[in-house]
Amino acid sequence: MDHFLYRDGCLCAEDVPIERIAAAAGTPVYVYSTATLERHYRVFTAAFRGLDAQVCYAVKANGNLAVVATLAGLGAGADVVSLGELEIALAAGVPAARIVFSGVGKSEAEMAAALKAGILQINVESEPELRQLSRVATSLGVVAPAALRINPDVDALTHEKISTGRKENKFGIEWTAAHRVFGEAAQLANIRLAGIAVHIGSQLTRIEPFLAAFRRLRDLVVMLRTDGHTITTLDLGGGLGVPYGDQSLPELPSPDAYAAAVRHTVGDLGCRLILEPGRLLVANAGILVTRVLYVKEGATRTFVIVDAGMNDLLRPALYDAYHAIVPLIEPAPDGEQCEMDVVGPVCETSDTFGIGRLLPPVAAGDGLALRTAGAYGAAMASSYNARPLPAEVLVNGDRFAIVSARPSLAEMMARQRLPDWLANAMPPAPAEVGP
Ligand SMILES: *Cc1c(COP(=O)(O)O)cnc(C)c1O
């Protein structure tokens, strides 16, 4: 459930008409709903009631400072994968003691920053990384709290590009090697390896892969404890899927069903649990608002060309992802609908948001919303085609604020430099162009 609904014929985010936001912030613009973030966080945490579980929101899904601060205010920790995300989490008010650092390629600088901040746990994904962490911790004179991310060799049954838990994937250490790595960690200076982590993929639509991975985790805990290792935390990753409005998909497992799988497999091990939902918390809490530039009648199809492009929302181009597309003005219930291809202005055929979508007749200037765009939307945006990053707005009841401004072309140009040998050969600067 989300808080993007039609009221008096206009699509609203909570109590604010989207057209008002588009007028204030321009398009394309991402709009997030505080009430929806809160609802998703509460439903998810309620499912784990009675378990010793800490939610560490996966910041990579949406790293907007205001979004992370909203979740932090509800008690969420953070799962970060870079120095930048660590900075965002800390700036958003996430206590260091609730921050987990994940990722296959942490640099020395990232390890040092995480250790200096005093974060909860660093999830190590290889033996060279474990040795490096030991060196960095030793040079800082601290003990690094670490968990070992294992690769359970489980097929997540999701899109190939977001599947991370098979042995062919780059993530984690083969689960069969965990025993050896724990042995090595015990010999390394300034490492406290007392946890196991797993994350098998994203947008999982079935519960069975989670069950298989968690069972494997359980077996490992039992085996490692038999070997004399102390295991106090289990990081179960994220990955629970969300409905994108694609009618062809089966019904998704609920947070309750997911929590039941957790209880059933690892609930009785006496471990502290870390949960890293990303998409589940933020996807349905965001929409991408765009305006129609042109309606073009092609030889065989009708193209609706909008002012958002694949640089603003990459998921359809990258994963063939489906996003429901709705007009900002509520269509009449029995009104005419036509099949249209909704495409962006970027010079790539994959810059397509929807093929053969049924929409009421649209004209230049009309507003459309791509739903379920709060996760991996703005976070993956780029300036491809020298297009500015989209603006982001957060709504809270009847208030809204621009929480990430669209960069001006001047700001974008200011990052570029000509080397001496080109600058000296340049004709005098031309008059400035554009707004
Ligand atoms: C991406 C990621 C997550 C979040 O995944 P979602 O599918 O967005 O829930 C959690 N943990 C790790 C290690 C990740 O890489």
Side-chain angles (χ1 to χ4, degrees), residues 49-63:
R49 213 172 281 143
L51 287 172
D52 179 11
Q54 170 66 51
V55 172
C56 291
Y57 163 62
V59 173
K60 78 172 192 282
N62 186 324

Side-chain angles (χ1 to χ4, degrees), residues 30 77 103 117 129 151 154 162 164 176 203 279 315 354 357 359:
Y30 279 93
E129 191 190 3
N151 183 322
V154 165
I162 45 177
T164 57
T176 47
Q203 185 55 13
R279 188 189 309 272
R315 299 187 66 259
R357 296 299 180 89
L359 283 167

